[in-house]
Amino acid sequence: MYICDNYQFSIRTVIHILEFETILAEITHGMHKLVIGEVYRVPNTNEQLSSNRYETILRKLLIFNGDVMIGTDQNFNYLNVERHGNTRDLLNLFITNGFIPTITKATRICHSTSTLIDNIYTKSNPNENISSGILIVDISDHLPVFVLLGKLTQTKRIPKVITYRPIDETKIHNMANYLDKHNWASLDVENVVDENDSFTNTINY
């Protein structure tokens, strides 16, 4: 977890047990408070026990008066939510506690299988703007997921002005005559920097 040093924060919870790794941090920015967390569930561990671990964490977060974001590699495949009872129960657990999953497409894609096992859950003010997505890059065997919370501020861009000289045969002919008649004698007595400036100024005239 990376937190910009512009923000005040404190670590609220750290859990490191056999099948579960969790860290929660509370961040304060002005009047705004946010808890962000990361939960990793080891694959192929007891599903019911894992659901109980998630429930314990969510219960603790219910008393927090502010926005909450939980990122998790949960190893419950939401693409099987209609066919797998424990997966359906986990989704219901999050939703009934006010946590909304923001990722709805596969996050781990292999040659013959695809699974939705990574997610970011949010519990926030309903007036907040939330944008989420998946980055299609192969930096790991899981596709990175992201959530943007809050209003996006657009920086007013100053238009870039490009100046150029229209070129045609007449202008090329006139330039050739100008350069041919120009007195270049000063280049023999100036230093290299001044010669370069003089030459550049001449051809840009």
Side-chain angles (χ1 to χ4, degrees):
M1 183 183 296
Y2 294 89
I3 302 175
C4 180
D5 57 10
N6 291 338
Y7 301 106
Q8 296 180 344
F9 71 93
S10 60
I11 303 301
R12 290 186 50 150
T13 303
V14 176
I15 302 174
H16 186 93
I17 50 183
L18 182 61
E19 83 287 352
F20 232 65
E21 296 178 4
T22 304
I23 183 170
L24 300 175
E26 181 175 334
I27 300 174
T28 301
H29 182 56
M31 300 297 294
H32 188 211
K33 290 187 177 182
L34 168 72
V35 166
I36 60 173
E38 182 276 332
V39 181
Y40 172 68
R41 173 186 171 245
V42 176
N44 303 317
T45 52
N46 186 281
E47 293 179 351
Q48 187 58 55
L49 180 59
S50 295
S51 292
N52 294 340
R53 306 278 194 208
Y54 277 111
E55 185 173 13
T56 299
I57 294 171
L58 297 183
R59 296 294 184 194
K60 290 183 177 180
L61 292 173
L62 286 178
I63 62 176
F64 176 70
N65 184 24
D67 296 334
V68 181
M69 297 177 64
I70 301 295
T72 177
D73 176 0
Q74 61 196 24
N75 283 299
F76 282 90
N77 180 15
Y78 276 174
L79 298 184
N80 291 334
V81 70
E82 295 182 356
R83 300 184 297 273
H84 189 260
N86 285 333
T87 300
R88 183 168 56 251
D89 291 343
L90 180 68
L91 177 59
N92 289 337
L93 174 66
F94 275 100
I95 292 176
T96 55
N97 284 282
F99 290 83
I100 306 301
T102 60
I103 306 301
T104 59
K105 303 293 184 182
T107 59
R108 189 171 187 271
I109 303 173
C110 302
H111 292 292
S112 58
T113 61
S114 59
T115 54
L116 171 46
I117 58 177
D118 307 283
N119 225 304
I120 301 176
Y121 298 87
T122 64
K123 183 176 181 291
S124 61
N125 187 315
N127 294 323
E128 290 276 16
N129 293 328
I130 298 176
S131 302
S132 62
I134 303 172
L135 302 180
I136 310 300
V137 293
D138 57 355
I139 60 175
S140 72
D141 61 336
H142 293 239
L143 298 177
V145 296
F146 68 89
V147 167
L148 304 176
L149 182 65
K151 294 182 179 180
L152 298 179
T153 57
Q154 295 184 348
T155 303
K156 186 176 181 180
R157 296 183 178 180
I158 300 175
K160 184 177 181 180
V161 178
I162 300 175
T163 59
Y164 66 96
R165 291 186 294 184
I167 300 296
D168 55 32
E169 291 297 328
T170 300
K171 288 183 172 60
I172 293 175
H173 178 74
N174 292 339
M175 177 178 285
N177 287 336
Y178 173 77
L179 295 177
D180 183 57
K181 296 177 181 179
H182 185 75
N183 182 6
W184 300 102
S186 61
L187 299 182
D188 294 331
V189 296
E190 296 176 343
N191 60 51
V192 174
V193 175
D194 291 338
E195 288 177 356
N196 180 72
D197 291 341
S198 178
F199 177 76
T200 301
N201 291 333
T202 300
I203 64 175
N204 285 335
Y205 177 74

